[in-house]
Amino acid sequence: SLHTIPSLIPIIRSSRLQPTLCVDICVIKTMNFLQFSWLVALASTNTLALTPTSLTSRRAALGWVAGSWAAAGICVGPAHADVDTEDFIRTGMVSMPMGVSGQAGKSKPTTGVVLRDGSEVSRDARSGDVLAEILVKKNGGGTDNVIPVVATFTSPWPLATGSVFDVECRDSETGDAAFLAVSPNVDGTSLADLKDSFFTKALFSPTGRFSFYGQPTDIKVKTASMDGEYRVLDVSFSTLSQSTQTEIPRKARVIATIPGGSSQAVMLVGSASALRWKKGADKKVIATVESFKATPAPQTGLRVRPKESSSS
């Protein structure tokens, strides 16, 4: 029933389940704007996949909905704007945080990064050197089940600030960026033996940095190789631009390592739009990724505990 949609939203948010909602396109046709907004909010909880039963792809579904509303003469003004993924990747912010999509789900993407209490992310304005001390799970678990790791890289872009960022440098004008991410537990598997899908699943999860409004499509690992203690992947993918109903191709280079004593991989992900990549943005992205290091932090008398997050 369409009237049950509002009551489902808090239930889905608080649930650990990942259900799929199948909605027949005939039902969508009967919705008024408020009911459709509820449906968008429900799908934006990041724990639920919205599947129109009469259409076979997200592109077709969203394209049909946009076309149907336009044909009906219904104008969705700024007060009801949805999140534009490409704009979010470029600026890092939600353009209409009080709109339906801004309210639904988490406002902060999940990167897996946990900063160490007492530390601050820093970047030298002259050299571009970035330093962050993070916590990762250690092998064997135990009462002290985390270890501190120092992650460093050199970025031509300034540190991104705001509640949606962990450790990220970005050009707010072009969207070229690099951010830290931490993988799930590798379960004792060596870096070389981990499947490419282990990394893409973590980076392109429903709550990942590139998935603020739906998961990216056309995800392809172009190359993958080992460079000493580091794994390097070149990935292409597309993100949906909600404002134009088109998919925007992007390219990324990912570098990952498992610091000594850790049971998680620490990654740096550099990316740019495919168009900018072709025009030379790849050089800055690749140089940034190649500068990445992640090693166990020196032992000190400081207590090892996570820094409190400013937002969930």
Side-chain angles (χ1 to χ4, degrees):
S1 170
L2 298 178
H3 300 290
T4 63
I5 292 178
S7 62
L8 285 174
I9 295 176
I11 297 174
I12 294 297
R13 283 183 187 169
S14 61
S15 173
R16 293 184 178 180
L17 300 177
Q18 291 186 327
T20 296
L21 177 66
C22 295
V23 181
D24 193 279
I25 207 69
C26 294
V27 175
I28 296 179
K29 289 181 181 179
T30 66
M31 290 182 178
N32 59 34
F33 181 80
L34 181 58
Q35 290 168 338
F36 180 71
S37 298
W38 287 337
L39 187 63
V40 171
L42 185 60
S44 300
T45 60
N46 290 329
T47 61
L48 178 144
L50 174 61
T51 305
T53 57
S54 300
L55 295 177
T56 58
S57 71
R58 185 183 71 176
R59 298 180 194 178
L62 291 175
W64 183 92
V65 170
S68 297
W69 281 85
I74 299 175
C75 177
V76 182
H80 304 292
D82 287 323
V83 176
D84 186 327
T85 304
E86 186 64 19
D87 182 66
F88 176 71
I89 291 174
R90 182 177 63 81
T91 65
M93 305 301 290
V94 182
S95 59
M96 294 294 292
M98 295 308 294
V100 172
S101 296
Q103 293 178 16
K106 294 183 178 180
S107 60
K108 181 178 180 179
T110 302
T111 62
V113 170
V114 177
L115 296 175
R116 181 178 183 174
D117 189 35
S119 69
E120 295 293 337
V121 181
S122 64
R123 177 180 179 272
D124 187 292
R126 292 173 295 181
S127 65
D129 292 344
V130 178
L131 184 147
E133 191 168 3
I134 65 176
L135 300 181
V136 297
K137 294 178 181 179
K138 72 176 183 179
N139 284 324
T143 53
D144 298 325
N145 63 347
V146 294
I147 59 172
V149 167
V150 175
T152 62
F153 60 95
T154 302
S155 167
W157 315 295
L159 275 174
T161 57
S163 60
V164 299
F165 303 106
D166 288 316
V167 181
E168 181 166 342
C169 292
R170 66 186 303 101
D171 184 327
S172 61
E173 295 297 321
T174 66
D176 301 351
F179 66 89
L180 280 184
V182 176
S183 79
N185 198 312
V186 299
D187 294 324
T189 306
S190 70
L191 189 65
D193 291 335
L194 288 170
K195 295 181 178 180
D196 294 343
S197 59
F198 174 83
F199 300 100
T200 56
K201 183 178 180 181
L203 294 174
F204 299 105
S205 71
T207 58
R209 185 67 183 88
F210 296 114
S211 305
F212 198 82
Y213 189 86
Q215 289 176 272
T217 59
D218 303 325
I219 302 168
K220 298 177 182 176
V221 176
K222 298 295 187 178
T223 63
S225 60
M226 289 293 298
D227 183 6
E229 298 298 316
Y230 292 80
R231 176 90 167 262
V232 181
L233 300 91
D234 286 311
V235 185
S236 65
F237 58 99
S238 295
T239 55
L240 181 70
S241 173
Q242 185 65 7
S243 60
T244 61
Q245 297 301 310
T246 58
E247 299 223 352
I248 310 299
R250 288 185 73 84
K251 290 183 179 292
R253 175 160 288 193
V254 181
I255 188 167
T257 188
I258 302 176
S262 169
S263 63
Q264 294 176 285
V266 181
M267 301 173 281
L268 182 68
V269 184
S271 73
S273 70
L275 182 60
R276 283 193 48 75
W277 193 275
K278 289 181 180 179
K279 292 184 176 181
D282 62 318
K283 295 180 177 60
K284 288 185 177 180
V285 171
I286 292 172
T288 300
V289 168
E290 289 180 343
S291 69
F292 172 68
K293 300 292 180 186
T295 56
Q299 291 187 352
T300 67
L302 296 176
R303 188 173 177 180
V304 178
R305 62 185 179 186
K307 174 181 274 189
E308 290 187 9
S309 177
S310 58
S311 67
S312 57

